[in-house]
Amino acid sequence: PYDYNNIELFPFTRCCFSIGDWGIVSALPRILKELNPNLQFYIPTPNWISNVFPNVNGWKYQGIDPAKSVELVFANNPYVQYFDTGNFTTVFSDHDRCNRFGNEPLAKRILRYFGVDEQVISKLDVRPELYFTEEEQLIGNHIINQYTNNNQYGCILLASRLEHLNNCWDINIPSIQNLLVEIRKLSLDKDFKFFYYSSFDITKTYWADVFNITEHNFINFANIKDCPLRIQWYIKSKAAYNISYQSGFNDCVSRYSKHLIATHREGTGETTCQYVKYFQPDGSIIINT
C-alpha cells in the first residue's frame, strides 16, 4: 500500500534479532536512498528494541546481547540513522513485505511491498553489506598477512546458533555429500589455507579426511588474539571462498566472496542470499541470481 517515492522518514525494525536477521536486510538503506534521495532510513537503538520486544533475549547466542546485533551489523553505515523510544509513533518492519517466490531474499520482498517496480527488483543486488573503518581494515589486513603472506585463502564455519544443529552433521546427508564434491572439484581439499571456527574438534571428524589440517594451514579464529566479530567479518570478506553450514553470520559477508553452504532444511526462503550456492538435504542445489 506504500510508495517509497512519497516516504521521507523510514523508521524500520526487524521483529527477530539474530546477527543474520539484521544482516540480510543491510542493503535496504542504501538501495532505498538511491531510489529516493529524499528518504531517511532509521534503525532502532538497542534500548528501543529492549523496550518494545521484551522477549529479545530469546535470540541470545554465546552471551552476545541480541538487542545490540543491529549496531554490530550497521556500524559505520552512512545510510542509516538511529531512532529511540518516543521518536516515532509508526515504525515499518520486516512483516511489511510482498512475497512472490519461495526462495527469494527478504530485502526484495520488502522493496516490493513499498512499490519498487518488479523489473527494478529483478536487477538489484540486495546481498548484505558491511562498512569497515580504516582501523578495522588495518587490523584485518595485518592478521591476513601474518597467517597467509597475502596469498589466497578461504574461511570455514561449522557451527550454528540452533542447538540441535550445533554439531558435526552426518556425512551421509546429501547436503554434506554435495558440498564435499564441490570442495574436491575446486581443489580446496589440497593445501589451501583456511581460517576457521567450529563448535567441535574437526580433527576428530571426517573433515580431517577431507582437508590436510595442520596448524600452518588451518587457523582457528578462536586462537587469534584481538580478533572480534567485525574483524572476523573483514577477514571473511577478503577470502576466495567461504564454506559453512547455513549461518546468519556468514550471510553478512555473502556479497564479497564465493559461498558454498550446506543447509539443514528444504528451501532457503527469505534467508536466501543472491549468488550463494546452497546444497540442500534432498540433494538439490539452490542459486538465486
Side-chain angles (χ1 to χ4, degrees):
Y2 291 99
D3 181 353
Y4 69 92
N5 287 298
N6 299 324
I7 300 175
E8 291 189 2
L9 302 180
F10 197 101
F12 174 84
T13 186
R14 288 232 52 181
C15 296
C16 43
F17 303 100
S18 73
I19 292 171
D21 292 327
W22 282 109
I24 62 175
V25 297
S26 57
L28 280 177
R30 175 188 56 80
I31 292 171
L32 282 169
K33 185 69 173 178
E34 289 176 352
L35 292 172
N36 176 6
N38 294 320
L39 184 145
Q40 301 295 320
F41 198 103
Y42 290 82
I43 53 176
T45 63
N47 178 65
W48 187 93
I49 292 172
S50 296
N51 275 284
V52 175
F53 296 92
N55 65 335
V56 67
N57 280 333
W59 280 265
K60 183 175 287 187
Y61 177 63
Q62 292 188 342
I64 298 173
D65 182 355
K68 295 182 178 180
S69 296
V70 63
E71 291 182 328
L72 190 70
V73 171
F74 287 97
N76 318 307
N77 189 314
Y79 299 98
V80 301
Q81 301 178 56
Y82 284 89
F83 68 87
D84 208 337
T85 53
N87 291 151
F88 293 102
T89 56
T90 299
V91 176
F92 301 123
S93 79
D94 55 289
H95 290 269
D96 296 319
R97 64 176 77 176
C98 180
N99 302 328
R100 184 179 182 189
F101 303 109
N103 300 313
E104 180 185 41
L106 175 59
K108 288 195 173 187
R109 302 176 187 214
I110 294 171
L111 290 168
R112 183 178 295 117
Y113 180 86
F114 286 95
V116 179
D117 183 79
E118 200 64 42
Q119 288 189 337
V120 174
I121 290 174
S122 68
K123 296 176 182 178
L124 287 173
D125 184 346
V126 299
R127 285 177 294 180
E129 48 194 51
L130 301 171
Y131 293 84
F132 298 103
T133 64
E134 287 188 15
E135 182 180 9
E136 288 172 334
Q137 294 177 55
L138 285 171
I139 294 171
N141 287 333
H142 173 74
I143 293 172
I144 292 169
N145 184 52
Q146 178 183 355
Y147 289 99
T148 72
N149 291 320
N150 280 334
N151 291 319
Q152 195 176 59
Y153 66 91
C155 290
I156 295 176
L157 177 60
L158 302 175
S160 175
R161 185 177 64 86
L162 303 176
E163 187 175 345
H164 70 286
L165 298 171
N166 197 28
N167 50 54
C168 184
W169 295 6
D170 188 340
I171 192 174
N172 296 310
I173 300 172
S175 56
I176 294 295
Q177 283 290 306
N178 287 334
L179 174 60
L180 297 182
V181 168
E182 188 77 4
I183 288 170
R184 293 184 177 113
K185 184 173 75 174
L186 295 169
S187 296
L188 301 178
D189 58 328
K190 306 301 182 183
D191 289 324
F192 210 81
K193 193 178 289 287
F194 285 97
F195 291 90
Y196 82 98
Y197 178 80
S198 175
S199 60
F200 52 89
D201 185 351
I202 59 175
T203 65
K204 296 179 180 179
T205 68
Y206 58 79
W207 292 105
D209 299 323
V210 176
F211 297 107
N212 177 26
I213 300 175
T214 72
E215 62 180 8
H216 300 292
N217 64 353
F218 261 64
I219 303 101
N220 192 338
F221 274 121
N223 295 333
I224 302 176
K225 185 179 179 182
D226 299 325
C227 190
L229 295 181
R230 283 189 58 85
I231 301 301
Q232 292 181 38
W233 266 336
Y234 180 77
I235 293 170
K236 286 173 175 287
S237 75
K238 297 300 180 181
Y241 290 92
N242 272 274
I243 298 169
S244 73
Y245 300 158
Q246 189 172 12
S247 162
F249 188 73
N250 264 24
D251 286 344
C252 293
V253 291
S254 59
R255 173 179 291 270
Y256 308 108
S257 69
K258 295 179 181 178
H259 283 244
L260 309 173
I261 309 297
T263 68
H264 65 279
R265 61 184 174 89
E266 292 185 14
T268 49
E270 69 185 48
T271 64
T272 305
C273 293
Q274 289 166 278
Y275 308 107
V276 169
K277 202 167 202 177
Y278 295 101
F279 299 94
Q280 293 270 277
D282 65 356
S284 62
I285 297 173
I286 293 175
I287 303 177
N288 178 283
T289 57

